[in-house]
Amino acid sequence: MFNSAIIDVAIGMVLSFLAVSLAASAITEAISSWGQWREKTLADGIQALLNYHPEDRPLALDLYKSALISPLTSGTAKSFEDIKHKPAYIDSRQFALAFYNTLGAGSPSEVIAKIQDPQLKAAIEALWATSSKDIDKFKKNIAVWFDNSMDRLSGWYKRRTQWVSFFVALAIAAIFNVNVLYESAQIWTRPAVIADLTTLHFEANQDAMKPDQAAATASKLFNALEPAFLIGWVKGPEPSDGPSLFVAITSWLMVAGSALFGASFWFDNLQRITHLKGTGREPERSEVERSDKPADHVLQLSVRSPGQSTKPS
């Protein structure tokens, strides 16, 4: 079973999924870097977290002016659009310290009193109430509150990038015609074709002296080796009718769906499958190895002199 066609089919499919997932991940990462998705998503998340309003509640903008949050900015921006180098990541401890300092860095009661938004003010009051009147614990509670909010934001960002990866992988599968169902069928039938090559070769030798049959036998040999490609818009994987087109589209969707799991998932599975394929029966022990093994029961022999009595004294 470990060297059967089933393992070969699994390896072929996982290799296709891995290759497309790697390409889709790289392209998605390039698109997100070019479009500054992380920076914009983080800024939108903090604006939503602090209920930002340009005139009435500018706390989020004031926070982004802080050197603790945006060390590459001058701190004179009038709006979020004026900030050219937005951070892609904010440490929770830095956020808590910048949040506290932006509101005046006085006593916690004075800091809370400066919060203009009622909902945000109620949340910070609850964090202060659970800090046992300890300023350091209060800042730690703000950091934990920020981390929990960013976890939800990260989930939303991940879903967005997964959709992009799906459509990028679908485009790759369609452009290169990654027809995994056709590929699997060919890998499944190739061992039987290779086994028949010996018979075809024998027939070719027998028919070599017959010109009228030599061409037919040679055609069988070449047809047994075709197609030469398992993917691409070439003879074989290229759909030629309605059913084959349906198989191709289904394969593209399967490949696109595999990109949602990520390249690391398919790489780990490829390692497990190849390890399974390399596992076989334990080799038979040779006679020399068997003789080296100590016997389970050892016969104990005693040597006596001819005049020694066997009776106990």
Side-chain angles (χ1 to χ4, degrees):
M1 174 184 176
F2 296 116
N3 290 317
S4 65
I6 299 176
I7 303 297
D8 294 334
V9 169
I11 291 175
M13 294 186 69
V14 171
L15 276 173
S16 298
F17 294 157
L18 174 60
V20 175
S21 296
L22 282 172
S25 299
I27 294 174
T28 302
E29 180 64 26
I31 293 174
S32 64
S33 298
W34 176 76
Q36 297 183 345
W37 287 359
R38 288 188 178 89
E39 293 86 343
K40 294 178 180 179
T41 302
L42 180 59
D44 293 341
I46 290 181
Q47 291 180 45
L49 178 66
L50 302 180
N51 294 333
Y52 170 73
H53 188 274
E55 298 178 358
D56 300 333
R57 298 180 295 273
L59 178 59
L61 180 60
D62 295 337
L63 196 66
Y64 260 72
K65 292 179 182 179
S66 172
L68 294 172
I69 301 298
S70 303
L72 300 179
T73 60
S74 60
T76 59
K78 302 298 182 181
S79 65
F80 273 90
E81 288 74 16
D82 296 337
I83 303 176
K84 301 301 181 182
H85 301 284
K86 298 183 180 69
Y89 170 78
I90 298 176
D91 183 76
S92 59
R93 293 171 298 180
Q94 296 292 101
F95 174 85
L97 185 59
F99 181 86
Y100 198 86
N101 292 340
T102 301
L103 292 173
S107 65
S109 300
E110 295 174 351
V111 168
I112 295 173
K114 294 180 180 179
I115 300 176
Q116 301 175 0
D117 182 72
Q119 183 185 28
L120 179 61
K121 186 175 183 179
I124 301 302
E125 286 177 345
L127 296 177
W128 170 242
T130 58
S131 62
S132 302
K133 307 301 181 180
D134 186 347
I135 296 180
D136 293 334
K137 190 175 181 180
F138 177 52
K139 294 179 181 179
K140 184 177 180 180
N141 288 343
I142 295 176
V144 172
W145 169 67
F146 174 76
D147 277 336
N148 294 335
S149 302
M150 292 302 103
D151 287 341
R152 291 189 288 270
L153 184 65
S154 299
W156 180 87
Y157 179 80
K158 184 178 180 179
R159 288 191 296 271
R160 179 187 180 185
T161 54
Q162 280 184 331
W163 277 110
V164 175
S165 297
F166 175 83
F167 288 110
V168 170
L170 182 61
I172 293 173
I175 292 172
F176 294 98
N177 191 22
V178 185
N179 195 338
V180 291
L181 294 179
Y182 173 84
E183 174 188 344
S184 301
Q186 290 298 314
I187 295 174
W188 178 265
T189 56
R190 280 295 175 90
V193 172
I194 294 173
D196 291 340
L197 287 178
T198 304
T199 305
L200 294 175
H201 179 69
F202 177 77
E203 293 177 358
N205 290 334
Q206 294 294 321
D207 300 338
M209 301 304 296
K210 302 175 182 178
D212 56 338
Q213 296 181 1
T217 305
S219 178
K220 291 181 182 179
L221 285 168
F222 284 111
N223 289 334
L225 294 174
E226 290 182 355
F229 299 96
L230 297 179
I231 63 173
W233 293 98
V234 294
K235 181 182 178 181
E238 182 179 7
S240 57
D241 51 16
S244 60
L245 179 61
F246 174 78
V247 171
I249 294 175
T250 303
S251 297
W252 300 343
L253 293 174
M254 290 175 59
V255 172
S258 68
L260 300 178
F261 294 93
S264 59
F265 173 83
W266 295 113
F267 181 76
D268 293 339
N269 280 277
L270 180 63
Q271 286 185 316
R272 294 188 183 98
I273 295 173
T274 52
H275 178 72
L276 181 64
K277 183 178 176 63
T279 304
R281 296 178 57 188
E282 183 179 358
E284 295 288 341
R285 284 178 172 270
S286 64
E287 295 296 333
V288 177
E289 291 176 343
R290 292 177 180 176
S291 62
D292 293 339
K293 183 179 179 180
D296 295 336
H297 302 284
V298 180
L299 181 62
Q300 300 292 336
L301 299 177
S302 60
V303 180
R304 303 191 306 269
S305 60
Q308 184 176 358
S309 172
T310 60
K311 295 181 180 180
S313 56

